[in-house]
Amino acid sequence: MKQISCVIRPEKLDAVTEALNKEHVVGMTVSDVRGFGRQKGKVEHYRGDAYTIRFIQKVKIDIVVQDQDEEKVMTAISEAARTGNVGDGKIFITSVSNAMRIRTGEKGTSAL
Ligand SMILES: Nc1ncnc2c1ncn2[C@@H]1O[C@H](COP(=O)(O)OP(=O)(O)OP(=O)(O)O)[C@@H](O)[C@H]1O
Ligand SMILES: [Mg+2]
């Protein structure tokens, strides 16, 4: 199993959720997060003073999928989340060694 974690623009959540639904993703966790990438938070000018916004509001989505679904889910997320401007976000993949559906005790991919 693979965990696909992506950080996206909050306004892209609906489009990404719809795209994931089309790929028959059965579950996901969504969190409100703040972060920065290469630009380290954009510099803005306010009343003549330059200041740095260190953290920008983003949405994080965590999905655990079967190994064979990794590529199609990555593609679906990236196509739905892309604007072409800086700050579109990132996708990270990690291996998941096990899972359990607590209600039934099912383990592994049966728990997804
Ligand atoms: N290396 C990283 N580790 C953890 N989170 C990251 C990392 N890079 C980016 N993020 C998260 O993704 C969000 C969006 O990053 P962003 O899209 O700005 O990345 P970038 O590398 O600066 O690319 P771009 O140049 O397209 O803006 C950040 O606000 C942060 O929450
Ligand atoms: Mg950036």
Side-chain angles (χ1 to χ4, degrees):
M1 291 172 286
K2 296 287 171 61
Q3 174 161 293
I4 300 173
S5 297
C6 64
V7 182
I8 61 166
R9 299 179 191 277
E11 62 267 29
K12 287 293 188 181
L13 177 60
D14 286 349
V16 170
T17 303
E18 201 174 303
L20 290 171
N21 200 33
K22 280 193 188 132
E23 298 300 338
H24 308 296
V25 163
V26 290
M28 62 192 255
T29 304
V30 177
S31 315
D32 292 315
V33 296
R34 295 180 306 146
F36 62 81
R38 287 188 303 188
Q39 292 78 21
K40 297 210 164 20
K42 64 181 178 212
V43 175
E44 293 201 345
H45 295 276
Y46 178 69
R47 289 185 188 153
D49 296 325
Y51 66 98
T52 303
I53 300 174
R54 294 181 192 281
F55 297 104
I56 294 174
Q57 202 72 38
K58 298 285 175 182
V59 163
K60 184 174 179 222
I61 302 174
D62 294 306
I63 315 153
V64 178
V65 300
Q66 296 192 28
D67 289 347
Q68 66 262 28
D69 292 334
E70 174 184 333
E71 281 301 323
K72 70 172 189 184
V73 172
M74 273 184 107
T75 301
I77 291 169
S78 60
E79 287 177 354
R82 184 177 298 120
T83 69
N85 299 311
V86 296
D88 272 353
K90 235 160 243 192
I91 304 174
F92 301 104
I93 310 292
T94 49
S95 292
V96 173
S97 56
N98 207 351
M100 181 194 275
R101 173 172 292 106
I102 292 174
R103 177 175 60 85
T104 58
E106 291 160 286
K107 287 185 177 172
T109 55
S110 302
L112 297 182

